[in-house]
Amino acid sequence: LLSHTYSAMSSCAMLVNDTRMAEHCRERAEYVKNKINELYWDEEKGAFVDDYTSGRRNVTRHANIFALLFNLTTEERKESIIKNVIYNKEIAPITTPYFEFYELDAMCTIGDFKYVTDMLDSYWGGMLDLGATSIWEEFDPRQSGIEHYSMYGDKYGKSLCHAWGASPIYLLGKYALGVRPTSAGYETFDVIPSLMAYNSI
């Protein structure tokens, strides 16, 4: 996130013609990116670990999804992440619609629209099957009954109307309808529908 933030700051600085700040932020982004690859990559696991000092070598979807989505590593390592993390059922699944967005955005980026379709059907569809009329803060299909309402150690602590979970709307607009900005603030934009994405999603 820090590396990506520096990259975004560099782009924003260029918009206001602050080339010095843009270059500084670009350099910082590259520095952080290099440190991520140097310190967090685990060759044996073929993925990034979440803490290189603990010795636990714990692999989660979260950090590896960011590496894919924000283009933080080599193409070879990206392929390894897809195989060893994304398609690996032994890696704990994401249980919040908020973060599921990042995974699906990454999968759209690499063109695996079937993965996205299956997740939309099983994850968001799973909430609908249980009677949801809005998006929940968290959904774990392994739960049942009133377990679905608990969160943060509170029996009824979960929000059942969580706007951050509405990412399928964004994904459909960006990948199926193909509406993407070509300049800041959508001053100019492309509309290039993707039949493959549309048929899948």
Side-chain angles (χ1 to χ4, degrees):
L1 284 172
L2 180 60
S3 177
H4 188 62
T5 298
Y6 276 128
S7 293
M9 290 171 63
S10 179
S11 296
C12 290
M14 288 300 295
L15 288 173
V16 295
N17 298 315
D18 189 340
T19 54
R20 181 173 170 273
M21 179 59 73
E23 180 61 19
H24 170 72
C25 291
R26 188 197 65 74
E27 290 175 356
R28 296 306 298 171
E30 193 66 19
Y31 173 81
V32 174
K33 176 181 176 179
N34 290 337
K35 283 297 182 183
I36 290 169
N37 282 277
E38 174 190 339
L39 298 173
Y40 290 90
W41 181 257
D42 188 305
E43 194 64 44
E44 184 180 339
K45 291 182 176 288
F48 288 101
V49 295
D50 63 3
D51 186 346
Y52 71 92
T53 61
S54 69
R56 293 185 301 119
R57 301 169 65 208
N58 187 42
V59 174
T60 65
R61 292 179 181 272
H62 300 74
N64 287 280
I65 287 167
F66 281 145
L68 290 177
L69 192 57
F70 299 149
N71 198 31
L72 294 177
T73 194
T74 65
E75 292 303 316
E76 182 180 0
R77 287 184 175 181
K78 288 179 189 177
E79 291 298 322
S80 181
I81 289 169
I82 293 167
K83 174 186 173 185
N84 295 309
V85 180
I86 304 300
Y87 294 149
N88 185 353
K89 300 296 185 183
E90 294 182 6
I91 302 295
I94 293 166
T95 59
T96 61
Y98 160 71
F99 205 89
E100 189 58 51
F101 156 71
Y102 292 105
E103 180 173 52
L104 298 189
D105 198 13
M107 298 311 286
C108 283
T109 299
I110 67 173
D112 190 345
F113 296 110
K114 184 180 185 311
Y115 185 96
V116 177
T117 303
D118 291 346
M119 188 58 74
L120 291 177
D121 289 342
S122 64
Y123 193 83
W124 279 266
M127 283 184 262
L128 295 175
D129 290 342
L130 291 172
T133 56
S134 56
I135 304 301
W136 298 350
E137 183 176 6
E138 180 185 53
F139 174 62
D140 188 339
R142 298 169 296 185
Q143 295 177 330
S144 61
I146 64 171
E147 286 181 314
H148 285 296
Y149 305 120
S150 66
M151 201 169 179
Y152 308 117
D154 185 340
K155 190 174 182 179
Y156 298 103
K158 183 184 300 178
S159 164
L160 299 182
C161 185
H162 209 65
W164 287 2
S167 55
I169 296 169
Y170 169 86
L171 296 171
L172 288 168
K174 181 177 181 181
Y175 294 103
L177 296 179
V179 180
R180 304 187 190 199
T182 54
S183 60
Y186 280 85
E187 186 175 347
T188 59
F189 56 89
D190 285 336
V191 181
I192 307 173
S194 169
L195 293 180
M196 183 172 69
Y198 179 78
N199 290 333
S200 297
I201 297 176

